[in-house]
Amino acid sequence: MQERIKRIIDFILSLGGILLLLPIFFIISILILIESKGGVLFKQIRVGQYGKDFVLYKFRTMKPHSEKLGQLTIGTSDNRITRIGKLLRRFKLDETPQLLNVIKGNMSLVGPRPEVRKYVDMYTAQQLEVLNVKPGITDYASIKYFNENELLGKSANPEKTYITTIMPEKLAINLEYAQKHDLGRDFTILWTTFLRILHLKR
């Protein structure tokens, strides 16, 4: 019953969010197209609930074909990121197209952030339990590692830092959520994320 209620809330809030943000989406789309060639949306295969792949949507914040140079974004000085992309990332506006993923049903507003297959293949049997719940746009791990790109930018070996330090810590947080979550906690996460985006909470 709780999952059904969560799905209804996800759908209503996501649809309302898209309608409310349509003018902003239009402006963002124009700015992306003016600055660099390529589409407005960035699409990437991520691993969803029960290990099923799905297409995740974001506003494109990098130059075309940048993913071929690596899937991790290293700091704010990554020269693959466009000027409008830096602004979108700062306020997490690049993530807003994932409201479409929520409406489609392959994501929730709150849940463990979905990973690419490359990193999911490194999960232990216990860590794979995070796939028992639907992935989300935000979660406690995302709040804790709000400045993840900056942390990786300070590392001598960003890939190793992500795999050996950041990813296990985020998975530990997500495992706790997967084992014990409710609507009250979800609303708390949404509110905390909103405050964090506005830089009102650290």
Side-chain angles (χ1 to χ4, degrees):
M1 177 62 71
Q2 178 173 283
E3 292 304 317
R4 182 177 297 178
I5 295 174
K6 180 174 181 176
R7 172 59 185 153
I8 293 173
I9 293 173
D10 277 343
F11 186 87
I12 293 174
L13 291 181
S14 297
L15 182 59
I18 288 175
L19 294 176
L20 183 66
L21 295 170
L22 268 179
I24 297 177
F25 286 173
F26 178 75
I27 294 172
I28 289 174
S29 299
I30 295 299
L31 292 175
I32 291 174
L33 292 175
I34 288 175
E35 183 172 6
S36 64
K37 295 181 179 179
V40 169
L41 293 179
F42 169 72
K43 302 176 184 180
Q44 187 179 54
I45 301 297
R46 297 288 181 98
V47 181
Q49 191 174 25
Y50 308 129
K52 183 179 179 180
D53 289 348
F54 71 97
V55 179
L56 177 140
Y57 305 113
K58 287 186 178 186
F59 278 121
R60 182 173 61 83
T61 60
M62 304 179 82
K63 299 170 185 176
H65 312 301
S66 293
E67 192 181 22
K68 295 179 180 179
L69 301 177
Q71 295 179 324
L72 292 178
T73 306
I74 314 302
T76 56
S77 60
D78 193 319
N79 58 18
R80 295 175 298 168
I81 304 176
T82 62
R83 286 175 297 176
I84 182 63
K86 290 180 180 179
L87 181 63
L88 295 178
R89 284 170 177 252
R90 179 182 178 186
F91 294 101
K92 303 299 181 182
L93 289 171
D94 61 313
E95 307 283 357
T96 51
Q98 286 160 49
L99 292 172
L100 294 172
N101 286 114
V102 178
I103 288 178
K104 290 176 66 175
N106 44 39
M107 285 184 69
S108 177
L109 290 174
V110 178
R113 288 295 298 164
E115 270 286 10
V116 295
R117 178 65 63 180
K118 171 184 176 180
Y119 296 119
V120 172
D121 286 343
M122 300 178 188
Y123 288 5
T124 65
Q126 183 182 19
Q127 291 170 337
L128 284 171
E129 292 180 15
V130 300
L131 301 180
N132 291 335
V133 296
K134 191 174 292 186
I137 294 177
T138 185
D139 59 0
Y140 277 133
S142 299
I143 296 170
K144 179 177 180 179
Y145 285 98
F146 192 83
N147 295 320
E148 179 182 315
N149 292 338
E150 283 75 7
L151 293 174
L152 292 174
K154 297 175 183 177
S155 172
N157 190 330
E159 182 86 1
K160 182 178 179 181
T161 298
Y162 183 76
I163 293 172
T164 62
T165 303
I166 295 179
M167 189 171 76
E169 291 184 8
K170 289 170 72 173
L171 282 169
I173 296 172
N174 288 332
L175 277 171
E176 182 181 351
Y177 175 85
Q179 294 163 0
K180 185 179 180 181
H181 60 279
D182 53 51
L183 295 176
R185 178 174 291 192
D186 285 355
F187 280 113
T188 297
I189 292 173
L190 285 172
W191 178 245
T192 304
T193 300
F194 177 71
L195 294 178
R196 188 67 183 84
I197 290 173
L198 296 180
H199 303 286
L200 297 177
K201 185 178 181 64
R202 293 189 177 276

